Amino acid sequence: MSTHAHDVVIIGAGHNGLVCAAYLAAAGLKVKVLEQRSVVGGAAVTEEFHPGFRNSVASYTVSLLQPRIIRDLDLHRHGLEIVHRRLANFLPLPDGGYLKAGEGITRSEIARFSPRDADRYDAYGAEIEAIADVLRALALQQPPNLVGSWRLGLAEAWRALATGNRLRRLTPPQRRTLLDLFTKSAGDYLDGWFEADAVKALFGFDSIVGTYASPYTPNTAYVLLHHVFGEVNGRKGAWGHAIGGMGAITQAMARSARERGVEIETDAAVREVIIERDRAAGVVLQDGRTVRARAVAGNVNPRLLFERLVPPEAVPADFLERMRRWRCGSGTFRMNVALSALPSFTCLPSDGVADHHTAGIIIAPSLAYMDRAYDDAKRDGWSREPIVEMLIPSTLDDSLAPKGAHVASLFCQHVQPQLSGGRSWDDHRDEVADLMVATVERHAPGFAASIVGRQILSPLDLERTFGLVGGDIFHGALSLDQIFSARPMLGYADYRSAVRGLYLCGSGTHPGGGVTGAPGHNAARVIIADSRRGFRA
């Protein structure tokens, strides 16, 4: 007779943990989710940060959430509503010009800068879309795993064959593009397509989002690709807003999971994973309570899980060393601001809400600007002319701010994940926040004066609050040695870890970061399969 109170206990009620729990419960497993904060959602939460003003605290926009997961968990019935931006992106430029991008206008906007680039835009989009379709097909699939067992090796060979068949459907030029996008820098790739600085900046921004790198760093072309394989309400590559903020997504997930019988406990920080007879058997909470289970799934950064929660003697030395060297650090500085008035941009003044106010407002006019920002950060700790993307979600969702007022998200790059020279982010947080505000102020005079409240999250704050090690929004860099079959390690790409009964279901597994739900979905399939064998794996 089992002494375990649950079949699976999940560490972390972020979106992937909730997705994993919902699928497990639907398969008949008894599941408990433990969350250290007082609210579910992980980094996808909506909170009041100034009286009367709410915003998505960390994750801030929707595109990568898998349509299948929305359907399977019936998230719309549980309250999720996603609306489209009226304009995709808006780049105010230092010379007083601007570039807009959105459905039906991007090509003509590009033509204002370069007729040649406009002529090449459709071909560029087709090339990117063909490769993005490959990622879409692979996102909800377990990648091939390198294993020693001949029995499991046959299964992995079949998986590799299936992956290879998808790639064989690509034309030879598309295969070359795939190789380019997985290995080259975004700058080199975009330089081969376009000539206008603003046009290259429009597309190149995605390559440094959440990535502590220059757009001319090799492998950043893949980061660009990672950000374009999503869709919103059936429109590929679109970005949208969840009414009520990102927390509306995870609240809908939590309702779906609870409806299926999942038990979710907040204010329940895990201190240690219990290991008995070489396998995971539950967890010990910070308050000393024990929660026993037949299996444990970690929806946390792999480095955090194996450095802080799993006894080191329970982990093979090579695996533990890999986790200790797991590279994290997004170079991200996150702010939320409460505004008494809507910003008016010098390059495109407006008295009321205009289409460009609903867009991703990107202050990064060229790849060279982004490259300098990275060099500054490496040398000084933060960029003197930082990269800022601002969203004003209250232009699409009036539930977030009082009437006539607004909230804005500032997603800022580049800063050092850990400050050099013995400095602490606690001592420089406000200084850098002032710089970010001043960067927007240059393009929208009066912006600083309109701020009535602000919330500042340095990389250190993101780590302390959400467990994002080094502020890493992806739970690990999306570099060639940390993606697909190598995420988090060759031989462990199947959501199982080196400890029997201990699984990974967070963004540190394939297909990586972003609010996708895919790691939780994929891990659940593996855990369900193992449960049917009595967790003897």
Side-chain angles (χ1 to χ4, degrees):
M1 185 178 201
S2 174
T3 60
H4 298 107
H6 302 86
D7 293 308
V8 184
V9 61
I10 296 177
I11 305 170
H15 77 282
N16 278 310
L18 295 171
V19 167
C20 186
Y23 279 108
L24 294 178
L29 298 179
K30 188 175 182 182
V31 184
K32 185 177 180 74
V33 182
L34 299 167
E35 169 57 44
Q36 67 172 350
R37 301 188 73 224
S38 60
V39 60
V40 303
V45 289
T46 305
E47 296 178 352
E48 184 176 75
F49 67 96
H50 186 74
F53 294 82
R54 300 184 307 129
N55 202 17
S56 305
V57 176
S59 301
Y60 64 101
T61 191
V62 187
S63 177
L64 304 180
L65 182 60
Q66 288 287 318
R68 177 173 176 176
I69 290 170
I70 293 174
R71 292 192 302 270
D72 287 353
L73 272 59
D74 206 0
L75 296 185
H76 291 310
R77 181 172 64 83
H78 288 289
L80 179 61
E81 179 186 359
I82 301 174
V83 296
H84 293 269
R85 300 177 185 174
R86 283 156 48 183
L87 195 67
N89 289 311
F90 168 62
L91 279 69
L93 302 175
D95 62 0
Y98 62 85
L99 173 59
K100 295 188 291 186
E103 190 171 13
I105 69 164
T106 305
R107 194 175 189 277
S108 61
E109 282 284 304
I110 290 174
R112 295 195 296 109
F113 293 84
S114 167
R116 174 186 177 274
D117 287 356
D119 289 341
R120 293 173 66 82
Y121 169 68
D122 288 341
Y124 167 81
E127 180 169 284
I128 286 285
E129 187 59 32
I131 308 305
D133 279 341
V134 174
L135 290 193
R136 291 187 185 102
L138 296 177
L140 292 180
Q141 300 294 324
Q142 175 190 317
N145 195 34
L146 297 180
V147 293
S149 162
W150 69 268
R151 178 179 60 83
L152 293 176
L154 289 176
E156 297 307 326
W158 180 259
R159 203 182 311 279
L161 180 63
T163 301
N165 285 336
R166 286 194 180 94
L167 300 182
R168 273 191 287 274
R169 297 186 195 119
L170 298 175
T171 65
Q174 288 171 336
R175 292 176 200 167
R176 290 191 286 270
T177 298
L178 179 67
L179 179 62
D180 285 348
L181 287 167
F182 271 68
T183 58
K184 294 177 73 169
S185 76
D188 287 338
Y189 179 71
L190 292 168
D191 284 342
W193 273 102
F194 304 114
E195 61 184 8
D197 286 342
V199 175
K200 287 186 280 189
L202 171 66
F203 301 117
F205 170 74
D206 281 338
S207 74
I208 54 87
V209 168
T211 301
Y212 188 45
S214 160
Y216 285 99
T217 300
N219 190 218
T220 48
Y222 174 77
V223 181
L224 183 159
L225 181 65
H226 183 86
H227 281 99
V228 301
F229 79 84
E231 63 179 83
V232 171
N233 298 332
R235 282 168 49 185
K236 291 182 179 180
W239 292 86
H241 169 75
I243 297 298
M246 296 299 284
I249 297 173
T250 46
Q251 289 297 322
M253 289 174 172
R255 284 191 283 269
S256 177
R258 287 187 173 111
E259 184 177 80
R260 298 174 182 206
V262 174
E263 182 182 348
I264 302 172
E265 183 178 348
T266 56
D267 294 308
V270 172
R271 185 176 75 203
E272 183 178 340
V273 175
I274 299 169
I275 307 296
E276 293 178 351
R277 284 176 278 195
D278 297 325
R279 64 177 305 120
V283 298
V284 180
L285 304 185
Q286 289 288 1
D287 62 13
R289 287 183 295 139
T290 294
V291 180
R292 298 188 63 81
R294 299 167 68 207
V296 176
N299 179 34
V300 295
N301 186 300
R303 199 166 92 190
L304 187 154
L305 178 64
F306 288 97
E307 282 191 343
R308 302 185 194 177
L309 302 181
V310 179
E313 63 273 12
V315 186
D318 62 332
F319 185 91
L320 184 59
E321 183 61 24
R322 164 72 172 181
M323 295 301 98
R324 286 172 173 167
R325 290 187 296 172
W326 182 249
R327 288 187 303 103
C328 303
S330 285
T332 293
F333 192 94
R334 182 76 172 81
M335 293 179 64
N336 297 295
V337 293
L339 303 174
S340 62
L342 199 63
S344 180
F345 291 86
T346 304
C347 64
L348 197 59
S350 174
D351 291 332
V353 175
D355 287 350
H356 64 276
H357 286 120
T358 73
I361 301 166
I362 299 170
I363 300 175
S366 69
L367 297 180
Y369 180 102
M370 300 179 205
D371 187 46
R372 287 194 303 272
Y374 176 60
D375 284 342
D376 278 357
K378 284 194 302 179
R379 183 184 62 247
D380 302 323
W382 54 84
S383 47
R384 303 303 165 179
E385 292 185 298
I387 302 161
V388 178
E389 182 185 24
M390 180 167 71
L391 265 68
I392 312 172
S394 51
T395 60
L396 297 167
D397 179 2
D398 61 11
S399 73
L400 299 176
K403 187 175 181 179
H406 288 277
V407 295
S409 303
L410 274 64
F411 190 49
C412 313
Q413 329 283 323
H414 281 305
V415 302
Q416 287 181 1
Q418 292 90 23
L419 283 177
S420 57
R423 297 172 295 171
S424 170
W425 273 114
D426 289 338
D427 299 323
H428 296 277
R429 182 189 299 110
D430 286 295
E431 176 186 356
V432 175
D434 290 343
L435 173 63
M436 301 304 178
V437 170
T439 300
V440 178
E441 176 81 13
R442 287 200 299 271
H443 296 274
F447 175 73
S450 73
I451 296 175
V452 297
R454 68 186 191 180
Q455 178 185 42
I456 308 166
L457 294 166
S458 72
L460 181 58
D461 296 317
L462 290 168
E463 178 168 342
R464 285 189 296 217
T465 305
F466 301 110
L468 303 178
V469 178
D472 196 322
I473 66 172
F474 297 138
H475 282 196
L478 296 178
S479 53
L480 272 178
D481 62 324
Q482 294 191 172
I483 61 172
F484 202 51
S485 292
R487 193 168 185 90
M489 178 176 174
L490 289 176
Y492 297 95
D494 59 357
Y495 308 92
R496 302 176 180 96
S497 79
V499 178
R500 290 187 303 159
L502 178 58
Y503 300 83
L504 296 168
C505 66
S507 294
T509 61
H510 173 76
V515 181
T516 71
H521 165 278
N522 297 351
R525 293 204 305 188
V526 172
I527 296 169
I528 291 166
D530 286 356
S531 74
R532 290 168 180 163
R533 295 192 292 268
F535 289 107
R536 292 190 299 272

